[in-house]
Each structure stands twice: as structure tokens, then as C-alpha cells.
Amino acid sequence: MSESIVAALITGILSLVGVVISNWAAARKTASALHTHQAVTDTKLEALTREVRDHNHFARRMPVVEEQIKVINHRLNDLEHAEKN
């Protein structure tokens, strides 16, 4: 084989090794960034879930409070009516 063919083969192999290493490093960096973003998303989702649960608890209690206010208003009206008579 001539020297130029050997030099071309060595250059090609070294270029291929460089590309493989570069792609491997980029894949690791991307995987790390994806893992970080997923952790942030999970944390935000947990916080949002907690807020929704708090809101649902409040939404379940509001009709009870409204009913109690109606009862109190009726009692006040009855007392005012009894006081006038």
C-alpha cells in the first residue's frame, strides 16, 4: 500500500473516533439536561397538585359555609321579627 492510502486510513479512523466521542459526550450532556428538566417538572407538578387539593378542599367546604350563613340569617330574621312583636 502506498503511504497516502495508509495516511488516509489513519486520518479516517481518527476522525471516526473523534466523531464517536463527540456524539457520546453530547448524548451524555443532553441526558443530564433532560434529567434536570424532568426533576424540575416533577417538583412543579407536585406543587400544583398540592394547590389543587387545597382548592378542592376549599370548594367542598364553601357550600357548607353558605348553608350555615343561610341558617344564621334565618335565625337573625326570626329574632328580629320576635323582637318587633
Side-chain angles (χ1 to χ4, degrees), residues 13-49:
I13 291 171
L14 290 177
S15 295
L16 180 64
V17 168
V19 167
V20 168
I21 290 172
S22 175
N23 284 342
W24 177 75
R28 277 184 59 120
K29 183 178 178 182
T30 302
S32 176
L34 183 61
H35 180 71
T36 302
H37 289 293
Q38 186 64 42
V40 169
T41 301
D42 289 345
T43 303
K44 288 181 178 181
L45 186 59
E46 288 171 6
L48 183 58
T49 301

Side-chain angles (χ1 to χ4, degrees), residues 20-85:
V20 168
I21 290 172
S22 175
N23 284 342
W24 177 75
R28 277 184 59 120
K29 183 178 178 182
T30 302
S32 176
L34 183 61
H35 180 71
T36 302
H37 289 293
Q38 186 64 42
V40 169
T41 301
D42 289 345
T43 303
K44 288 181 178 181
L45 186 59
E46 288 171 6
L48 183 58
T49 301
R50 185 175 52 251
E51 289 177 18
V52 167
R53 285 185 181 142
D54 290 344
H55 177 319
N56 288 344
H57 181 66
F58 175 77
R60 275 187 237 117
R61 291 186 61 202
M62 255 341 267
V64 173
V65 171
E66 289 173 351
E67 187 61 34
Q68 289 173 346
I69 289 172
K70 285 181 186 177
V71 170
I72 291 169
N73 283 335
H74 285 298
R75 287 181 181 176
L76 283 174
N77 287 337
D78 290 344
L79 287 173
E80 288 173 352
H81 183 69
E83 187 176 285
K84 288 180 182 177
N85 290 337

